[in-house]
Amino acid sequence: MTNLRLNKELFALEPITDALSAYQNIAKIELSDDSNYWKCCFAECKYGEEQTALEFENYLINLMNCKAR
């Protein structure tokens, strides 16, 4: 299982849940609260856990940038 830690000072919960919805057919991603971080655990990924976690983070950053405009 691959984990992605997202700093709460940089990543809000709403865009993370939006990205989770977008990725629901690509991977099983469990979100948990880990002190100062949001922790995303990736499993059952269609394209490999590490690659999917990296793409998820890129998608999330892009999503946040689009909403900031």
Side-chain angles (χ1 to χ4, degrees), residues 31-66:
L31 178 66
S32 60
D33 188 338
D34 185 16
S35 188
N36 296 325
Y37 295 88
W38 298 112
K39 184 173 152 187
C40 298
C41 298
F42 292 78
E44 301 175 25
C45 301
K46 286 187 178 183
Y47 307 104
E49 291 177 7
E50 288 183 30
Q51 184 67 38
T52 302
L54 292 172
E55 295 297 337
F56 178 84
E57 186 173 19
N58 288 337
Y59 179 83
L60 177 57
I61 291 167
N62 187 51
L63 187 63
M64 291 169 53
N65 284 334
C66 289

